[in-house]
Amino acid sequence: MDRRVIVIVGCTATGKGALARALARELGAEIVSVDSMKIYRGMDIGTAKPGPDVRAAVPHHLIDVADPWESFSVARFVELADQAVATIHAGGKPVVAVGGTILYLKCWYEGLFAGPSANPTLRAALRQRARLEGTAALHAELARVDPEAATRIHPNDLRRIERALEVFQLSGEPISRLQQQWDRAQPRRTDWEWRLIGLRRSREDTNARINRRVRRMLAQGLVEEARRLWSNPRGVGPQARKAVGYAELFAHLAGRLTLDEAIEQIKIHTRQLAKHQRSWLKRLTAIRWLDAEGVEDMEKLLPTAVRLLTGPVASD
């Protein structure tokens, strides 16, 4: 049985998907998507989702598994990804995993940070305080007890603020300290042969590709796709609503941004996403890096990528 799980990592717009598909064709592998927005049906253009013809040629897993109004947890992703790997391996094939959702990749590769169980009474009290005092007041309290977590968590992200305060009140420890103890950068599943390949480009090259991709998505009908989602009677859930490329256009459709402003915000937020991804990937020393600077046809990198799969199994 082939036990390989080959993970293609890199910043957004570096060409991960194209290389993953080329590698899957070369190895007879199937692809597991590690993307928190490709899971949603109808969010196709803005997530650079592979089309039906591509998915017919190379089987993809964890694409179109939820509706935009549904919530989808990282724990659910890990569960489904594990099931997909088991199915693919049982068929004697390797897995090629690709995607840019750092939280999904981190929890799948390293394991979930559990922390103390949720306390409904405490959660209700925190939610009531948020209604009476405002979310900013809870974020200010978090800044006093856990400045590191407050720096990471947006002042309007009530769900994460509540969880961080809950962990502190239940354990007496800041959630940032507990997460550092868990943050070990080691593979969770030692029965798999992990292979991590990273695509590396300069910021200038990545930013140019981001700008071209945004223009391409707009030409493909991104605004119309966002409008269809916006007008759906079931609506768009809080998770899907945050997706870069859609959040900005939803703000435009709500009258808060002009279309030109929304497009510029998409570019800015995508660059910020790439910066976040770049920072996290530095800590994974098991990655074997592949220089993609200036390369447009990812097939050209396939021979080098195949060579990188030889040698010791990935471990940090």
Side-chain angles (χ1 to χ4, degrees):
M1 183 181 293
D2 196 322
R3 307 295 295 179
R4 284 178 295 174
V5 177
I6 302 158
V7 186
I8 309 297
V9 299
C11 299
T12 189
T14 52
K16 299 187 299 297
L19 179 61
R21 290 188 289 273
L23 192 58
R25 289 192 295 268
E26 177 73 15
L27 301 176
E30 297 187 14
I31 291 177
V32 172
S33 173
V34 189
D35 190 299
S36 63
M37 295 303 154
K38 285 186 174 69
I39 65 169
Y40 288 117
R41 303 179 187 96
M43 297 176 66
D44 303 331
I45 298 171
T47 64
K49 191 181 294 179
D53 54 336
V54 174
R55 283 182 270 170
V58 178
H60 285 62
H61 301 257
L62 272 73
I63 288 180
D64 291 344
V65 296
D67 288 311
W69 53 84
E70 297 177 325
S71 62
F72 194 90
S73 69
V74 64
R76 180 64 175 154
F77 166 78
V78 172
E79 177 187 5
L80 292 180
D82 281 357
Q83 291 175 6
V85 172
T87 299
I88 298 167
H89 282 171
K93 299 179 181 179
V95 173
V96 174
V98 63
T101 301
I102 295 302
L103 179 62
Y104 279 15
L105 178 58
K106 178 181 174 65
C107 292
W108 191 40
Y109 182 69
E110 298 176 359
L112 287 162
F113 167 71
S117 299
N119 184 300
T121 302
L122 181 53
R123 283 283 178 96
L126 289 168
R127 186 59 57 92
Q128 178 67 8
R129 284 187 55 200
R131 284 193 291 267
L132 295 175
E133 304 171 33
T135 304
L138 267 65
H139 190 267
E141 179 178 334
L142 180 62
R144 290 192 295 272
V145 301
D146 191 349
E148 184 176 341
T151 300
R152 291 200 315 265
I153 299 174
H154 192 278
N156 294 332
D157 193 341
L158 179 58
R159 182 182 61 82
R160 294 181 66 202
I161 294 170
E162 285 179 340
R163 177 56 178 163
L165 289 173
E166 178 185 51
V167 168
F168 179 77
Q169 293 184 32
L170 292 174
S171 70
E173 293 279 348
I175 192 172
S176 59
R177 185 180 303 164
L178 295 174
Q179 287 172 333
Q180 286 170 3
Q181 296 170 8
W182 160 70
D183 198 10
R184 55 195 178 91
Q186 292 288 337
R188 171 181 62 95
R189 293 290 300 262
T190 56
D191 54 327
W192 297 346
E193 296 180 10
W194 292 92
R195 312 276 174 159
L196 276 59
I197 295 177
L199 284 180
R200 185 157 46 198
R201 296 180 185 269
S202 68
R203 285 178 175 82
E204 293 75 19
D205 191 15
T206 301
N207 290 344
R209 288 175 62 87
I210 287 170
N211 291 339
R212 289 197 297 271
R213 186 168 77 170
V214 172
R215 290 195 296 269
R216 184 169 62 251
M217 288 176 172
L218 290 167
Q220 291 171 342
L222 178 58
V223 177
E224 291 74 18
E225 182 175 80
R227 186 175 287 112
R228 285 196 299 273
L229 291 164
W230 181 255
S231 61
N232 188 305
R234 304 283 308 258
V236 181
Q239 288 178 250
R241 197 181 301 132
K242 295 178 183 177
V244 175
Y246 295 96
E248 300 82 3
L249 290 175
F250 292 157
H252 161 64
L253 294 170
R256 296 194 299 273
L257 294 174
T258 67
L259 180 57
D260 287 342
E261 289 170 339
I263 292 169
E264 187 59 31
Q265 286 294 304
I266 292 172
K267 295 175 182 178
I268 291 170
H269 294 157
T270 307
R271 291 196 294 268
Q272 291 172 343
L273 172 61
K275 180 180 179 181
H276 172 65
Q277 292 166 327
R278 190 178 294 113
S279 297
W280 186 79
L281 290 170
K282 288 179 180 178
R283 57 184 289 285
L284 280 177
T285 58
I287 297 174
R288 297 180 177 185
W289 288 101
L290 184 58
D291 186 9
E293 183 75 9
V295 177
E296 296 300 324
D297 182 1
M298 303 309 291
E299 293 273 359
K300 294 179 179 179
L301 297 179
L302 184 57
T304 306
V306 171
R307 286 197 298 272
L308 289 177
L309 295 178
T310 63
V313 176
S315 62
D316 286 82

